[in-house]
Amino acid sequence: DEAASEGLRWKAYDPAKLADAEWKLSLLGQLDSAIDSGEIWVAYQPQIELATGAICGAEALVRWSHPEKGQVSPMEFVLAAEQHNRIDKLTAFVLGDALRAAADFAAQGLAFDIAVNMSARLLEKPGLVAMVQNLLADSGLSAERLTLEVTESAAMDSGRASIRTLEEIGSLGINVSIDDYGTGFSTLEYFKKIPATEVKIDRSFVQSIDRSASDRVMVRSTIELAHSLGRSVVAEGVETPEILNELIALGCDKAQGYLIGRPMKLTDLANLMRDQPAVRAA
Ligand code: C2E
Ligand code: MG
Ligand code: MG
Ligand code: MG
């Protein structure tokens, strides 16, 4: 009817939306030069092994320090890059940086694993496995030290081609982690379908295990399910010692969060690892 179509027209010309679209396009236009100039860089957030408390690796998180806009969230520009088919170069840049960093730690005799976020869009593209293989070979890092994180919802939506890509990645010895676990429609069927080595529990559950009985049940049963299927578990968003202790009691394998360390420059991570005992390679 009239009112509804009026509403639709208003939506289509929403000035805030238009400004947002223009902003996204301008970001995309600057993407390549921002990578080349170093405005776009990679932060590393440490992960610890709960059994020992030692740093065992890190997640690579992309950052854009924009000269005019300040810190632009990856939520904004990664999504824009995905939507406009520009995610390849960004991913190759982050992966390359992360692999070099991990290879450097490995050369120092440290057992250090690196996790890199992988856009679901890329899983559908035929060139991904070759790109990962090439960058891995360039770095000299062994495949077992690399984990690719795929969000739960993305993995759920993905079709046969994406599952096959994940299987191929797995057959190379690379680990696959299900990121933001718990936010999608987690089912047993899904657990069976996605060839993952690790489950990463979303911080929305982790952050309330000391207050919400149902979230604690959710985390406990995820850990039990994952372990019975031979998968390891990482908790993200650990901000307090109480939650860390709860996770240890629940038998979680690894943790990541502001309590342990914020995403930081590689040099800061290297310093942190110098001060804190890191796991030595066997
Ligand atoms: P994610 O992969 O789930 O990463 C975890 C996010 O939680 C990061 O936000 C991290 O800074 C934040 N975080 C870590 N510990 C805590 C904590 O204790 N408390 C709270 N409140 N937050 C914590 P960030 O860096 O803003 O990244 C947001 C998302 O952007 C990531 O979520 C990931 O999905 C995406 N992203 C980041 N870098 C890349 C990338 O290189 N490629 C792709 N495809 N996506 C990326
Ligand atoms: Mg992640
Ligand atoms: Mg996550
Ligand atoms: Mg998340």
Side-chain angles (χ1 to χ4, degrees), residues 45 59-63 73-75 78 82 87 94 117-119 149 151 179-180 203 207 236-239 256-259 263:
Q45 186 176 32
E59 177 179 9
L61 292 159
V62 70
R63 293 288 178 266
S73 166
M75 303 286 241
V78 169
E82 282 177 0
I87 193 71
V94 175
N117 293 284
M118 200 46 57
S119 155
E149 296 190 2
T151 62
D179 202 354
D180 299 340
R203 71 163 181 267
Q207 292 188 333
E236 69 173 22
V238 179
E239 293 183 358
Q256 180 182 341
Y258 293 169
L259 176 72

Side-chain angles (χ1 to χ4, degrees), residues 116-133:
V116 178
N117 293 284
M118 200 46 57
S119 155
R121 282 287 173 94
L122 274 178
L123 294 180
E124 296 164 0
K125 288 196 175 183
L128 178 70
V129 177
M131 178 186 94
V132 174
Q133 261 183 310

Side-chain angles (χ1 to χ4, degrees), residues 9-23:
R9 206 172 317 144
W10 166 246
K11 240 185 202 158
Y13 294 102
D14 183 340
K17 281 245 170 65
L18 194 63
D20 186 56
E22 276 170 7
W23 161 234

Side-chain angles (χ1 to χ4, degrees), residues 34 38 42 45 63 114 117 136 148 260:
V42 184
Q45 186 176 32
R63 293 288 178 266
I114 191 72
N117 293 284
L136 202 53
L148 298 183
I260 296 143

